[in-house]
Amino acid sequence: MTRNCGPPPQGPERGSAEGPEIFLSWVAARTNTIRIGHGVVCMPFNFNHPVRVAERAAMLDLLSGGRLDLGAGRGGTEQETSLCGVDRDRTTAEVEEALRIIGKAWQEEELEYRGELIDIAPHPILPRPAQTPHPPLFLACSRDETLAQAAELGVGALVMGFAGPESIARLRGVYDAAIAGRDGARFVSTAVNDHFSVLCPTIVLDDAREARRIGVRGQRFFAQSIGHWYGGAGIPDEAVVAGADEPARMRAAAEQVVARLHELDIPVRPTSTATFNADHAYGSADEAIAYVERLAAAGADEIMCLIQMGTVPQEACLETLRQWGEKVIPHFRNA
């Protein structure tokens, strides 16, 4: 199952999905069976009041006939937080409290909430979602601590899969261990979701070599964007050098990140260059199938396709979607 997060507009420094409910409503109106996934709604209060998120998500769940999955995230870059006056030091706590409010709003006739960060006087919250008791809740997880938090909150994990299947297996172990050790005291809802969803960068074309070139090039832009906004690295290189060895350029970009971390006296961890790993579902449909099988063996319950990465041409995005729909997904559906 793929998760549709909406198309990011292209820009010199990063891609984002603005007004996702509008796009996802359009998707819901033109589909019947795929699930409609927010990956993710930024939940700090200055971005989105928790009640407004609950209302909009419930409406989308109704319009889609009960097909919504709701993912939560921090939106913690300086670019994002400075726009809306978000306190970066409070984002983790505000996301948790927002999930708690949303779970409560969807299960009670009237919401009243008294918390550590926000108080909400009694209000009926309408509409009610189509799914009972509500759409599955997820949390974006990029660190072991966030995986443990997701498990303790009783919500699914949306995991960045850039480091590859071996890393995914380790992260799945962290999540499962936290599930096994929890006592339910931090659950945000009576509906517990232990779903482990993994991001899979992919470009699939008939010309497998070209697919790999386009995919790795797009991922390099994406990785450099993350480095720019989270680590203060330079602006991503948009230039495409004819005949360049893209994996070599990816390795060089990773080395630049390591050098900058050393310069700033920041420890270089295995995750520091994970986004520069080029071993993903790039190539033919058969190669994509083989890679997804590796992710499934590592513990992935669901695959989220990352396709529209910065420099990837629209025609390659559309062809990848077609190849997944006609070849990759049917392979697993018929298995």
Side-chain angles (χ1 to χ4, degrees):
M1 178 172 64
T2 56
R3 179 180 302 278
N4 196 317
C5 301
Q10 303 310 306
E13 297 163 3
R14 106 175 262 240
S16 60
E18 312 304 341
E21 288 92 353
I22 297 172
F23 171 73
L24 293 177
S25 296
W26 183 89
V27 171
R30 286 158 175 79
T31 59
N32 296 305
T33 58
I34 67 169
R35 292 195 66 79
I36 310 298
H38 272 298
V40 296
V41 177
C42 293
M43 295 287 191
F45 304 155
N46 279 27
F47 285 138
N48 290 288
H49 191 285
V51 171
R52 293 302 187 202
V53 175
E55 292 171 339
R56 297 196 305 263
M59 179 61 76
L60 183 53
D61 196 47
L62 287 169
L63 292 175
S64 66
R67 291 186 281 140
L68 179 68
D69 292 346
L70 180 61
R74 294 172 51 230
T77 71
E78 177 64 26
Q79 180 206 35
E80 293 164 313
T81 55
S82 62
L83 176 65
C84 298
V86 172
D87 183 344
R88 297 175 73 179
D89 293 333
R90 285 171 46 117
T91 54
T92 297
E94 288 187 5
V95 169
E96 178 171 335
E97 194 146 316
L99 284 169
R100 202 172 301 284
I101 292 167
I102 292 167
K104 186 179 177 67
W106 280 339
Q107 294 185 89
E108 299 183 359
E109 290 299 319
E110 186 175 71
L111 171 68
E112 181 177 7
Y113 186 84
R114 307 292 177 186
E116 294 183 6
L117 303 176
I118 191 172
D119 291 335
I120 300 173
H123 281 86
I125 308 302
L126 297 171
R128 312 295 290 185
Q131 296 178 78
T132 304
H134 57 70
L137 298 173
F138 290 82
L139 180 65
C141 300
S142 59
R143 298 174 291 113
D144 289 7
E145 295 85 352
T146 324
L147 278 166
Q149 180 190 19
E152 291 170 5
L153 299 181
V155 302
L158 303 177
V159 179
M160 301 280 275
F162 284 110
E166 293 75 17
S167 173
I168 292 301
R170 189 193 69 79
L171 294 173
R172 179 74 203 222
V174 171
Y175 187 57
D176 287 345
I179 288 173
R182 69 191 178 190
D183 60 10
R186 292 181 66 190
F187 284 171
V188 298
S189 169
T190 59
V192 175
N193 176 28
D194 292 335
H195 200 68
F196 190 79
S197 185
V198 175
L199 193 70
C200 175
T202 180
I203 297 294
V204 177
L205 306 173
D206 289 335
D207 185 337
R209 182 175 180 179
E210 179 67 359
R212 282 190 288 275
R213 186 193 70 79
I214 291 174
V216 175
R217 175 67 191 95
Q219 184 185 330
R220 177 161 62 86
F221 179 93
F222 187 90
Q224 289 175 321
S225 296
I226 292 175
H228 175 69
W229 290 112
Y230 281 91
I235 294 175
D237 173 20
E238 289 189 282
V240 178
V241 180
D245 180 355
E246 193 54 57
R249 291 173 64 84
M250 181 79 97
R251 289 191 294 272
E255 290 169 0
Q256 291 173 3
V257 170
V258 171
R260 180 166 180 79
L261 291 175
H262 283 311
E263 178 185 342
L264 298 174
D265 198 24
I266 298 174
V268 179
R269 299 182 174 87
T271 56
S272 301
T273 57
T275 53
F276 293 92
N277 168 44
D279 178 21
H280 296 298
Y282 301 137
S284 67
D286 287 342
E287 288 173 306
I289 288 169
Y291 188 78
V292 171
E293 287 175 338
R294 292 172 63 194
L295 292 179
D301 295 320
E302 176 186 355
I303 303 302
M304 300 179 289
C305 291
L306 177 61
I307 299 170
Q308 195 171 16
M309 299 174 287
T311 61
V312 177
Q314 178 71 352
E315 58 269 21
C317 295
L318 296 176
E319 178 62 14
T320 297
L321 290 171
R322 187 186 70 79
Q323 295 256 1
W324 271 76
E326 294 182 358
K327 299 176 182 179
V328 180
I329 294 173
H331 171 85
F332 293 96
R333 183 177 291 139
N334 299 328

